[in-house]
Amino acid sequence: MSVRDIASQVASGDRSARSFVEESLAKAKDTEAYYALLHLTEERALARADEIDARIKNGETVGVLAGVPFVVKDNFLAFGAPTTAASKILENFSAPVQATVVEKLEQAGAICIGKSNLDAFAHGGSTENSAYGVTHNAVDMDKVAGGSSGGSAVVTALDVVPFALGSDTGGSIRQPASFNGVFGMKPTYGMSSRYGVVAMANSTDVMGCFARSAEDIALIESVMAGRDKKDMTTLPDYFKPTTDVKPGLKIGLIKETMTDDVDSEVREATSQYAEKLRSLGYTVDEVSLPSVKYALAIYYIVVPAEVSSNLARYDGVRYGRRAEGVKTLAELYARSREEGFVTENKRRIMIGSYVLSSGYFDAYYQQAQKARTVLINEFNELFESYDLLLTPTAPTPAFGIGENTSDPVKMYLSDVMTVPASLAGLPAISAPAGNSKSGLPIGVQLIGPMKSDALVIAVAGQVGGSHA
Ligand code: GLN
């Protein structure tokens, strides 16, 4: 059922919030084998549902999302369960406050029923880097869920909940959305608050959502959007959902994302999507974004640099797990970090520290930031002639569990289509675009200029797509 339908049934008293929450909790338990959820927030969710039902009985007004169950990626601070970021270092960490976007959704009446699995600290593209087990793809248990927000994508695809939250630093909402056949939206940088979400890379982190329709995405994003004085990078609320798209839209298909390296079925699905856009009366031309070929290299310098800085605070003293039986402070730091981080976290700390160190700062970090500016300028130039850009979301459908774990660079290649929009702060949605012959979902990505979130979502909604 859609977000809107649930909210209207609850508000009209046709069905209780409690019954929806109970249904979601039961589905969550039935689908435990997917390892999509790390914790349920059952007690708190049922109490909140009863509170909403009581208010409706009393004739009080309730929010636009009253009684709608949802799931939150476990790097968002939320009450009712620990916030682990799927890492051991935050194993028993209880949030002292809630993330602003979670608060906003709750104020609108939505009810968080659980926390979803992710790559530890959101470092990864398959949810295989979780310290608590691998999430399985919603369509094929032998395939990865994608990542890092794999758990949130899977619970949305399996209809455990009508929507789920994710964070997207380089593709962590869009890529798992494409692997599981749902919609996933990464808003413009700063459209909604990052406050209360475990930071990965501050210059690209954004909070967004998964849903089974573009309409639901628009509704959820409209509740989350807006200025937050606790996050000075947030923009004043500009997001106005619409279904009214101007005729004759011009869309550029980025040719560098349609080369022979890309899976042929993915290219085929993207071309078919382009045809659907044409049949809506839009122009789709091939365009070039030459710096796409540098995007991964830029991303894997800039992001580890920010990661190494953000993870410095986890020292075994201030947050979470503290190593036992140590004799010195240095040993306490070293052992807590050794035990608390997964290999991929350590790899990024090392790369980040390296590219920021004196002597290498100019050679790597500074160069990467310059190249990032070139990429941003290329995007801006394209947006002078085009309203939106189209690419596949990922070069392949979901790959096998274990297939890429021994080769980090192979794993990073899965991000090649999603990192450009992240580096430029642009809004981008992944929309379902059919299935491979073996039945695996394929997604395409629509990217717009900054603050064109409503257009991006509206066009994805016009094309629609096979709901999971
Ligand atoms: N897969 C990308 C990475 O590993 C994206 C992660 C994310 O967006 N959090 O960095």
Side-chain angles (χ1 to χ4, degrees), residues 47-281:
R48 292 204 62 236
D50 289 343
E51 213 181 287
I52 287 172
D53 288 332
R55 284 175 51 191
I56 290 166
K57 272 216 178 87
N58 287 340
E60 292 171 42
T61 51
V62 287
V64 288
L65 300 177
V68 180
F70 71 108
V71 155
V72 177
K73 186 179 182 180
D74 200 28
N75 57 347
F76 287 66
L77 303 195
F79 297 149
T83 298
T84 67
S87 75
K88 292 280 183 206
I89 208 157
L90 289 177
E91 197 165 17
N92 297 314
F93 181 69
S94 284
V97 293
Q98 295 208 103
T100 297
V101 290
V102 173
E103 277 289 318
K104 283 185 154 186
L105 290 165
E106 286 201 342
Q107 274 160 22
I111 301 174
C112 173
I113 64 125
K115 308 287 301 287
S116 62
N117 203 2
L118 63 148
D119 291 294
F121 286 101
H123 301 173
S126 66
T127 314
E128 292 169 292
N129 293 333
S130 166
Y132 302 104
V134 178
T135 301
H136 297 261
N137 187 281
V139 175
D140 180 345
M141 293 282 276
D142 295 331
K143 304 288 187 212
V144 298
S148 63
S149 318
S152 283
V154 168
V155 289
T156 307
L158 294 175
D159 196 15
V160 172
V161 280
F163 80 95
L165 297 192
S167 59
D168 190 312
T169 303
S172 279
I173 293 174
R174 291 161 285 159
Q175 185 254 32
S178 80
F179 282 10
N180 293 283
V182 295
F183 290 84
M185 175 72 190
K186 165 214 154 357
T188 297
Y189 180 77
M191 183 172 102
S192 50
S193 174
R194 295 181 284 121
Y195 177 77
V197 184
V198 175
M200 179 171 168
N202 307 48
S203 77
T204 70
D205 283 352
V206 294
M207 307 309 141
C209 68
F210 296 88
R212 294 187 298 276
S213 72
E215 294 72 22
D216 280 352
I217 294 263
L219 178 57
I220 301 308
E221 295 293 349
S222 70
V223 173
M224 297 202 291
R227 181 106 180 113
D228 177 11
K229 60 179 186 310
K230 295 180 192 138
D231 173 0
M232 293 314 282
T233 60
T234 44
L235 299 162
D237 191 7
Y238 61 84
F239 181 71
K240 299 275 168 292
T242 180
T243 48
D244 191 18
V245 180
K246 71 167 187 192
L249 223 53
K250 289 186 75 183
I251 299 164
L253 172 58
I254 302 179
K255 69 171 190 212
E256 288 81 1
T257 65
M258 292 288 275
T259 59
D260 287 349
D261 308 333
V262 177
D263 179 277
S264 61
E265 290 185 288
V266 169
R267 276 184 280 145
E268 182 57 36
T270 310
S271 302
Q272 279 170 12
Y273 199 90
E275 276 313 312
K276 287 187 193 155
L277 290 167
R278 288 189 183 107
S279 66
L280 288 167

Side-chain angles (χ1 to χ4, degrees), residues 147 168-176 178 186 257 295-296 299 391-395 412-423 426 428 430 445 447:
D168 190 312
T169 303
S172 279
I173 293 174
R174 291 161 285 159
Q175 185 254 32
S178 80
K186 165 214 154 357
T257 65
L296 262 190
Y299 177 87
T391 76
T393 306
Y412 298 165
L413 280 174
S414 185
D415 308 326
V416 66
M417 319 277 189
T418 47
V419 298
S422 295
L423 291 167
L426 305 172
S430 179
Q445 175 180 228
I447 308 173

